[in-house]
Amino acid sequence: MVTVFGLGFVGLTTALGFAHLGHKVYGVDVDEKRKNILRNGQIPFFEPYMEEVLNKHLNSNFIITDDVEEAIRNSEYVFYCVGTPYGEMGSADLTYLFSAIDTTVNAIKDDKFRVLVTKSTIPPATTAEKIYPYVKAKGKIADNIGVANNPEFLREGHCWKDFIEADRIILGCNDERSKEMLLDLYRDMNIPIKCVSHSTGEFIKYLSNTLLATLISYSNEMAQVADCIGGIEIAEAFKILHMDKRWNDCNMTSYAYPGCGYGGYCLPKDTSALYSQAKAKGFEPKILKNVIDTNDNISKTIAKKITNGLDRDKAVGVLGLSFKPGSDDVRDTPAAKIINAMVEDGYNNIYAYDPIAIKEFKEKYPDIIINYCESIDEVHDNSDVIAVVTAWEEFKKVKEFGNKKIIDCRYML
Ligand SMILES: NC(=O)c1ccc[n+]([C@@H]2O[C@H](COP(=O)([O-])OP(=O)(O)OC[C@H]3O[C@@H](n4cnc5c(N)ncnc54)[C@H](O)[C@@H]3O)[C@@H](O)[C@H]2O)c1
């Protein structure tokens, strides 16, 4: 049996994934609203296919519980999928993780062996230097606790498929018993499994996210180089770059393409946390620093591009608020940074539309005062210039709406 702490994108997918494999899974979360939505068979965020899977397993293999003691008593595996947001000086905030570990350890009343597995993204050396010593310091009870990590690579909008058809499963372990138990748990999935050290497991996740962030910042810097030289068809140039056999048919091409900078929950905080961790260990990663700086500056550059030559009383249209198409996630979304930069520069008359993220955007950024619209049409009719900020497919038709100036910040039109 498995207990999963945190029922967000990663935790819900993990819980339902294990339930789908035939394991009995308890889901634990501290967010009452989120649990009520889930208990009603609904998904609290936009994620295709997930509602169907939830309703298949809810109250059979997957139980959302408030009785943590019962869940822990019955479980051999405890997975942590809680948030690890920005902490001090850009490091990862591990408060939620340690709180869930405390809840677990306090609920253990017997001497059954259990493995505590961190699926949340945590900087390399966190398990070895913080979690393992923390758990082992809990006294005799810790003799029957294994500590492991199992980083998650799913993409929002593809959570279910990315879990069920993962490219690889990484198990960061330092004891044979935990390793064997985790191999057993995942055995039926037929996915390559790599068993590595605690710190290697954590590092692999950051290797992946920082490379993706680097590709994005590199592409944005190259687009600026092309802009300043002039006469360069930027979108065409990048599309031709992708025709190289070494890129062709590769999903990574969407990262080697200019846009509004990386956003969302993972890449900004993870690049920042790895930079902070390396600095704390005495090494400053310069490439990573420039990747972060480029990303921090791109929203201001784009805001200037949108408002170039525009009087401050004119209206700006913004198409797209989520950090990427196919998602209603607005955490660290470039749209908020671009809008803020325009407002700071005196452009207060902003009209915005997104197919699914308006509600989330309003809730997350109550201080951003703009006019929310119900359609591309409405944005078009009210604005003097229109910026495409998220690459939703439906925004392609904005060109047909009239002859207003359009700034294609995603190079997609
Ligand atoms: N979202 C992604 O695409 C993605 C992909 C891979 C890895 N990750 C990593 O996985 C982790 C979770 O990300 P997410 O997007 O699922 O986050 P999320 O914000 O969607 O969900 C986190 C959940 O944890 C709950 N929680 C917080 N403290 C708790 C506690 N003490 N006990 C029980 N529940 C608690 C919150 O209420 C929330 O529902 C992060 O470390 C993230 O970096 C995310």
Side-chain angles (χ1 to χ4, degrees), residues 4-12 28-32 34 45 80-85 95-101 103 119-122 151-157 159 205-206 209 265-266 269-270 323-324 329 331:
V4 176
F5 278 85
L7 298 175
F9 288 94
V10 170
L12 185 64
V28 178
D29 203 295
V30 289
D31 183 337
E32 294 302 324
R34 179 159 280 191
F45 37 79
Y80 303 107
C81 305
V82 299
T84 48
T95 317
Y96 303 108
L97 179 60
F98 278 100
S99 158
I101 292 173
T103 309
K119 210 175 222 318
S120 301
T121 304
I122 47 169
E152 180 52 59
F153 296 88
L154 58 73
R155 298 160 300 163
E156 288 177 21
C159 284
K205 173 67 189 170
Y206 283 87
N209 274 5
Y265 187 43
C266 295
K269 76 172 174 67
D270 294 348
F323 86 100
K324 68 172 185 181
D329 197 342
R331 294 178 285 187

Side-chain angles (χ1 to χ4, degrees), residues 43-63:
I43 302 295
F45 37 79
F46 178 78
E47 192 54 51
Y49 195 55
M50 209 68 124
E51 195 162 304
E52 213 176 310
V53 191
L54 172 68
N55 283 294
K56 201 164 157 197
H57 298 295
L58 187 62
N59 299 327
S60 53
N61 273 0
F62 175 49
I63 293 161

Side-chain angles (χ1 to χ4, degrees), residues 257-308:
Y257 201 75
C260 299
Y262 53 84
Y265 187 43
C266 295
L267 299 194
K269 76 172 174 67
D270 294 348
T271 42
S272 162
L274 190 64
Y275 174 74
S276 168
Q277 178 80 333
K279 262 199 103 176
K281 297 272 180 190
F283 174 72
E284 180 169 28
K286 297 223 170 58
I287 292 180
L288 211 48
K289 182 174 189 327
N290 285 324
V291 166
I292 295 167
D293 286 348
T294 302
N295 203 58
D296 286 346
N297 293 331
I298 192 77
S299 33
K300 286 196 187 94
T301 308
I302 288 179
K304 283 256 172 277
K305 197 168 167 180
I306 298 170
T307 55
N308 186 24

Side-chain angles (χ1 to χ4, degrees), residues 50-313:
M50 209 68 124
E51 195 162 304
E52 213 176 310
V53 191
L54 172 68
N55 283 294
K56 201 164 157 197
H57 298 295
L58 187 62
N59 299 327
S60 53
N61 273 0
F62 175 49
I63 293 161
I64 300 166
T65 186
D66 294 325
D67 188 344
V68 180
E69 276 204 14
E70 185 200 341
I72 298 298
R73 184 169 59 245
N74 292 334
S75 299
E76 287 80 35
Y77 302 88
V78 184
F79 277 80
Y80 303 107
C81 305
V82 299
T84 48
Y86 283 108
E88 265 174 44
M89 311 281 288
S91 62
D93 179 353
L94 304 174
T95 317
Y96 303 108
L97 179 60
F98 278 100
S99 158
I101 292 173
D102 276 340
T103 309
T104 310
V105 176
N106 292 337
I108 298 178
K109 306 283 182 230
D110 56 24
D111 56 5
K112 176 162 77 172
F113 189 86
R114 293 174 177 85
V115 53
L116 315 190
V117 191
T118 308
K119 210 175 222 318
S120 301
T121 304
I122 47 169
T126 303
T127 311
E129 292 180 6
K130 294 186 175 158
I131 303 175
Y132 188 76
Y134 185 79
V135 171
K136 290 296 157 187
K138 296 278 179 190
K140 192 141 178 46
I141 210 165
D143 293 348
N144 292 313
I145 299 179
V147 175
N149 59 59
N150 169 217
E152 180 52 59
F153 296 88
L154 58 73
R155 298 160 300 163
E156 288 177 21
H158 307 264
C159 284
W160 182 249
K161 198 167 182 298
D162 284 353
F163 184 89
I164 289 297
E165 294 170 20
D167 300 318
R168 69 309 208 189
I169 290 165
I170 309 295
L171 302 177
C173 300
N174 71 345
D175 72 284
E176 275 305 306
R177 191 159 179 190
S178 303
K179 186 173 118 181
E180 287 307 322
M181 279 174 66
L182 285 165
L183 283 171
D184 205 35
L185 183 71
Y186 279 113
R187 187 152 287 136
D188 289 347
M189 287 187 84
N190 283 325
I191 291 168
I193 302 182
K194 288 291 189 190
C195 297
V196 293
S197 73
H198 279 153
S199 297
T200 309
E202 296 154 340
F203 182 64
I204 289 164
K205 173 67 189 170
Y206 283 87
L207 204 51
S208 168
N209 274 5
T210 52
L211 175 62
L212 299 176
T214 304
L215 286 176
I216 293 172
S217 277
Y218 168 79
S219 305
N220 283 326
E221 186 168 279
M222 283 301 135
Q224 284 172 270
V225 169
D227 255 340
C228 83
I229 294 170
I232 297 173
E233 298 149 85
I234 297 175
E236 193 61 8
F238 274 87
K239 283 177 192 154
I240 292 169
L241 170 79
H242 296 164
M243 289 170 76
D244 190 308
K245 270 191 212 65
R246 290 165 294 186
W247 281 104
N248 226 347
D249 290 334
C250 158
N251 280 330
M252 294 267 277
T253 50
S254 66
Y255 294 89
Y257 201 75
C260 299
Y262 53 84
Y265 187 43
C266 295
L267 299 194
K269 76 172 174 67
D270 294 348
T271 42
S272 162
L274 190 64
Y275 174 74
S276 168
Q277 178 80 333
K279 262 199 103 176
K281 297 272 180 190
F283 174 72
E284 180 169 28
K286 297 223 170 58
I287 292 180
L288 211 48
K289 182 174 189 327
N290 285 324
V291 166
I292 295 167
D293 286 348
T294 302
N295 203 58
D296 286 346
N297 293 331
I298 192 77
S299 33
K300 286 196 187 94
T301 308
I302 288 179
K304 283 256 172 277
K305 197 168 167 180
I306 298 170
T307 55
N308 186 24
L310 195 72
D311 291 339
R312 287 189 167 66
D313 60 345

